[in-house]
Amino acid sequence: MPEMKLFHSPVAGLLFVAAASLSVHAFGQEPAQPGLTWTATGATNGNVFYHVASLLQSGKVLIAGGTDGAFVTLASAQLYDPASGRWSFTGSMSTPRNSHTGTLLPDGRVLVTGGQTGVTFVASAEVYDPATVQWSLTGSMSVVRVAHSAVLLNTGQVLVAGGVNGPPTSF
């Protein structure tokens, strides 16, 4: 299993995690700044690629979905606890997905939107509640989206834009 690297900054709220395709970082911060260091940490429970990572209000990192080394789409989710340096499984999403988004909501929950399951593109969305470690389905997007962007607006709404909204018609 890949070794995780944790990049810690003395500046509050900055956490960087890197392994395979996992990357949580703060915009505008360069790893070469004085006082920032890399520290080895625990490995994820199995290989995960094309997942989303969200820094929770508790300081834990949630990774959700993705694919394994054989490109099987995953519904599983894991939590990284910086206090113990370990990953643990948490509740699974109802829909396996990769190339989706994860957005931290003001109340601490995480909204996951779109993505794909195998070759099927999805419009569904789910919410992870760290208090109950459960996922629940919420309203679907009006169109399917893969490899899109999502951003939390000042109103508390999430804007989803771009990406691909249908499989290619030719190669």
Side-chain angles (χ1 to χ4, degrees):
M1 288 185 211
E3 182 178 275
M4 300 299 294
K5 294 285 187 177
L6 175 65
F7 183 66
H8 181 264
S9 167
V11 180
L14 298 184
L15 171 69
F16 299 73
V17 180
S21 62
L22 177 62
S23 178
V24 177
H25 58 88
F27 179 78
Q29 297 295 317
E30 298 296 329
Q33 289 184 339
L36 303 180
T37 59
W38 285 98
T39 304
T41 188
T44 57
N45 294 303
N47 293 323
V48 286
F49 306 93
Y50 308 111
H51 54 279
V52 296
S54 302
L55 179 60
L56 303 178
Q57 292 175 340
S58 66
K60 294 181 180 181
V61 176
L62 171 73
I63 60 172
T67 60
D68 66 5
F71 295 101
V72 172
T73 306
L74 305 171
S76 60
Q78 299 181 45
L79 285 173
Y80 173 72
D81 183 349
S84 68
R86 296 183 185 264
W87 290 90
S88 60
F89 284 105
T90 188
S92 291
M93 296 180 292
S94 64
T95 303
R97 58 182 84 221
N98 67 72
S99 302
H100 51 297
T101 63
T103 306
L104 182 65
L105 301 174
D107 64 4
R109 298 177 302 151
V110 175
L111 173 69
V112 169
T113 61
Q116 68 185 80
T117 298
V119 297
T120 304
F121 288 28
V122 295
S124 65
E126 302 184 44
V127 175
Y128 176 75
D129 186 342
T132 63
V133 298
Q134 298 291 315
W135 291 90
S136 57
L137 287 170
T138 189
S140 292
M141 297 180 293
S142 59
V143 296
V144 297
R145 292 192 186 272
V146 173
H148 51 287
S149 295
V151 63
L152 179 66
L153 302 175
N154 290 338
T155 62
Q157 296 175 305
V158 175
L159 172 67
V160 177
V164 179
N165 67 356
T169 56
S170 64
F171 293 93

